[in-house]
Amino acid sequence: MQRVETVTGQPPSLLTPSPRGARAAGLWLTADALGGALFAGALALWLGAALGASGTAPPLWLAGALAASGLVRALARAMAADLGQDAANRHKQALRHRLFAALLPTAFRRGRGTGAELRTAIDDVEAMQGHVARFVPARLAAALSPLVCAALAAAASWVAAGIMLATLVPFAFGMALAGTAARHEADRQFAALSRLTGLFVDRARMLPTILAFAAEDRITRQIATVSRDVAARTIAVLRIAFVSSAVTEFFAALSVALVALYCGLVLLNLLPIAPPERLDLARAFFVLALAPEFYLGMRRLAAAYHDKQQGEAAARAIAPHLDAAEALLARQTAAFAPPGPLCVEGLVVRYDDGSTIGPLRAQWPQTGLHAITGATGAGKSSLLLALVGMAPVTAGRIVSAGHTVAPGALNAAVGWSGQRPVLVPGTLEDNILLGAPPGPSVPWRDLADRIGLGPLLADRGAGLVIDPLGAGLSGGERRRIGLVRALLSGRPILLLDEPTADLDAATAAQVADALADAARTRLVLVATHDPALIHRAASTMCIA
């Protein structure tokens, strides 16, 4: 399980949505306030005409104005929701693309598990949904709609407009205090939730081991403890959210009450001082109906404030991991050397459990088939993993074309096929072409036939749908899919772990022929126990 870190400050680049989508959604929410003002004005004129001294019936166009105000409001809210959601989707897609490109290739070297990185790229980014889709538009509307409502109210009663604006000052102060407290609690809640998710993902992945060692009770207690912490943090956030909501409703009710009191005293001529303006029933009703609209934008902002806190907490959790990953990738790019003769000098791999492999020394030319042999567990796979930065190198160096390079710095030039090739949901052809360079159609069928996949293609076809576990495929078939993928990559260095394991002698010979052909122009390093493949290698490195 990985410890989730938070940092102070807000990383703006992670929370900047598409300006076009977010601003448009906020403007549509402001248009909703205009629809409310249209309704208030039409209703005030209707009542003024119906209850006035003239006794004339209200004109029909006022009924049309009332209906139009409802349509305006419905359209404005629908457009705001649609544009906000679209902006959020584009923001999440762009951020996830950036995270996947940076986090997954560097996870091991930063001491992070794949489950924790996927949690960051999927769940943490999803937590920004409400911030972009609801809070950002609500923030713009909260800044504009009170001013619009106050300006319209001032046309009927400048005193009522002043009352509305005066109640806005303590409201903003109260919201700022509640927001500061909510930010810290949201960070704690997000960290606790991340711990719970990471723990659950790690333990689910290790479930067979847990069952084998009868550790179910201990793991259950661990999850229960972290779950209780999440519940406590959530209650703390909700407590502050209720306080924030109470602040909003108090000042909204106070604004409406003060406007109603002022209008009533003026209309009844009970104001203890000379009235500063003239009010009739229509004007008084208009400002009274507009008073709730004045605070509608602020209510929306308060309702979306938890989305803001959650989004910012997610950004603060993502930022240190993304910064570290991108810095590591930048160092790799800067240290990248063109592929050439490759050697390892005094390379030592040391795992967390204390087991050590090395020091290892080897030198390979720019091309050729070269074998790495040794007893099971001697470190053949660890050497290949060290070259791609997936094993903890604690001493020694890797040299390519005369340049010292960091572990993993040559990955852009490496084609890889491990003992358990990665399979993705899709067809057999999709999986074979997973690492192929973009461009015209790749002639992969001839290579697949040479590797021994011809019978599989003949019996089940390239459109065979497979799952990530490779259900329905033998171990040898899965291994050969990985080999074809590595060979099709066109990369000058191929690292292959036990490429002929699980194969019969005839198929293993076919694979060896294909690797020998590739080795004419590429450096092919194979970790193997296969005597026939070792015999065909130009050199052999034995790890004791």
Side-chain angles (χ1 to χ4, degrees), residues 404-498:
T404 300
V405 297
L410 294 173
N411 284 358
V414 171
W416 172 271
S417 178
Q419 295 188 36
R420 297 178 58 86
V422 173
L423 300 177
V424 298
T427 65
L428 176 60
E429 182 178 3
D430 293 337
N431 276 272
I432 288 176
L433 296 179
L434 188 62
S441 178
V442 178
W444 60 272
R445 286 182 178 269
D446 290 343
L447 179 59
D449 287 338
R450 292 183 59 198
I451 292 294
L453 287 176
L456 175 66
L457 290 169
D459 293 343
R460 307 173 72 177
L464 169 67
V465 177
I466 58 179
D467 62 23
L469 298 178
L473 298 176
S474 68
E477 287 169 339
R478 290 195 295 268
R479 195 179 299 269
R480 278 172 283 168
I481 290 172
L483 283 172
V484 175
R485 183 189 298 162
L487 290 167
L488 288 175
S489 69
R491 297 181 177 184
I493 301 173
L494 298 182
L495 304 181
L496 312 176
D497 196 357
E498 299 287 2

Side-chain angles (χ1 to χ4, degrees), residues 190-438:
F190 198 84
L193 186 60
S194 296
R195 283 193 294 270
L196 176 61
T197 304
L199 177 66
F200 187 80
V201 170
D202 289 343
R203 297 308 182 262
R205 184 158 48 92
M206 300 301 296
L207 189 58
T209 304
I210 293 170
L211 294 175
F213 286 90
E216 302 95 321
D217 291 341
R218 182 167 60 85
I219 299 303
T220 301
R221 288 194 298 272
Q222 285 181 346
I223 294 176
T225 300
V226 178
S227 298
R228 285 192 293 270
D229 185 42
V230 171
R233 301 298 185 189
T234 302
I235 291 297
V237 170
L238 290 176
R239 188 182 301 118
I240 296 175
F242 289 142
V243 171
S244 175
S245 177
V247 169
T248 305
E249 295 303 323
F250 172 77
F251 285 106
L254 180 63
S255 175
V256 174
L258 291 176
V259 170
L261 179 63
Y262 167 74
C263 291
L265 291 176
V266 171
L267 289 177
L268 297 174
N269 200 23
L270 295 178
L271 202 64
I273 60 174
E277 60 188 354
R278 292 184 58 189
L279 276 181
D280 55 21
L281 179 61
R283 289 173 179 268
F285 188 85
F286 173 69
V287 296
L288 187 59
L290 203 58
E293 297 294 335
F294 177 83
Y295 266 96
L296 180 60
M298 306 303 292
R299 280 191 174 116
R300 285 197 180 112
L301 183 65
Y305 206 78
H306 179 65
D307 293 323
K308 170 185 181 291
Q309 300 294 349
Q310 192 174 35
E312 290 182 352
R316 286 190 289 270
I318 292 171
H321 303 303
L322 180 59
D323 290 345
E326 290 183 334
L328 184 57
L329 288 176
R331 289 196 297 272
Q332 286 183 6
T333 302
F336 178 75
L342 182 65
C343 69
V344 292
E345 299 178 355
L347 200 70
V348 175
V349 176
R350 181 173 289 110
Y351 291 100
D352 290 341
D353 61 2
S355 59
T356 302
I357 298 166
L360 303 174
R361 291 176 176 83
Q363 185 170 354
W364 302 285
Q366 190 167 351
T367 60
L369 175 62
H370 304 273
I372 302 169
T373 68
T376 299
K380 302 183 299 298
S381 299
S382 293
L383 174 56
L384 298 183
L385 289 171
L387 292 174
V388 294
M390 296 301 290
V393 175
T394 57
R397 64 180 187 144
I398 301 170
V399 180
S400 175
H403 301 274
T404 300
V405 297
L410 294 173
N411 284 358
V414 171
W416 172 271
S417 178
Q419 295 188 36
R420 297 178 58 86
V422 173
L423 300 177
V424 298
T427 65
L428 176 60
E429 182 178 3
D430 293 337
N431 276 272
I432 288 176
L433 296 179
L434 188 62

